[in-house]
Amino acid sequence: MGQMVSDGAVQEQPAPKVGIIKNGREILLQAFNWESHKHNWWSNLDGRVADIAKSGFTAAWLPPPTQSLSQEGYLPQNLYSLDSCYGSLQQLNSLIQNMNDHNIRAMADVVINHRVGTTQGSNGMYNRYDGIPIPWDEHAVTSCSGGKGNKSTGNNFDGVPNIDHTQPFVRKDIIEWLIWLRETVGFQDFRFDFTKGYASKYVKEYIEESKPLFAVGEYWDSCEYSPTDNRLSYNQDKHRQRIINWIDSTGGLCAAFDFTTKGILQEAVKGELWRLRDPEEKPPGVMGWWPSRSVTFIENHDTGSTQGHWPFPSDHVMEGYAYILTHPGIPTVFYDHFYDWGDSFHGEIAKLMEIRKCQDIHSRSTVKILEASSNLYSAVIDDKLCMKIGEGSWCPSDSEWKLAASGNRYAVWHK
């Protein structure tokens, strides 16, 4: 598709009936980390539902619920067995019922790029699924990962059989399973794992057929770095364009995690806040081009937690939240920051969420960037809220602006 530089065209179209919530006033909680499977997780979350609701979250992304060869859930095998390291089916049912009672949507982590077999196939690999529901044979597995199916339509996930989504029987079974998760188990939203592994047109089909209220994909691509000093390049337009192309080829039905904003923001807060204004005076991530499909975040179970593949600087986390919770897009709060870092972080993040809701900042809100220098970034959002982050001192000159929240290197005002 051509370069996407505005959400205006999207605004003029009716919101799709599936995949994207119409009002854009979502705040998501990633309700787990990489170690959660060790802590009776469904019961733990059940005890936090009232606080999650009170804090203003509209949905909670849960870890993969299916039986898996890895304790974290990302090597699924029997898709219809919901007894996992996170807890029993009964505990999951109790949690989802409690979430429904508190008007919090449960988001399922959908891992359908790969599936571990139960039985060895003709080449000695475990790429048959005898003895469990959805008993596929080797024709359900891509030829690039040792199966008898077609070539993969995306990147290979090494070491396990990758699912061949070109096969009609495979898609039929996946759709039936997704509908079961929606209608029988009670998940309302989907997060699609490792979407670089299969063509986005299949994500579109799965959303159209299973009808989640909201869907988001993990399209994690590498940012652009300078070949000489390995510093993050200022211009990440190619990076965000790839994510936007992916969203577009789902028919706009699936949002995407804004890895561009994550990559830029975590460098910007280290005294390079000039990065937060692109040459068109817009935010430099997916948020700046297609905000209603941008799911912003500071950290997740891969980038942070005990994996730490691409961590946000821990002493700048509140600046990060002051940015994403005041700006357009659909912000996501990471469990660790909200529940494991102490009452102060919980309180400060909840306050920013409350301000976002009270000032009716939403996924399509407009941003006017006022300052973007090394140690200061300031902006006005919808002319209802203004904010600053960084070491530099700044406050709005007009007396009608009232301080609403402040902390280490951030402040927010509203009228």
Side-chain angles (χ1 to χ4, degrees), residues 396-402:
S397 53
D398 198 318
S399 61
E400 68 180 341
W401 292 104
K402 308 296 182 192

Side-chain angles (χ1 to χ4, degrees), residues 325-340:
L325 287 169
T326 59
H327 278 55
I330 298 164
T332 307
V333 174
F334 187 41
Y335 182 92
D336 293 24
H337 300 150
F338 204 63
Y339 285 118
D340 287 351

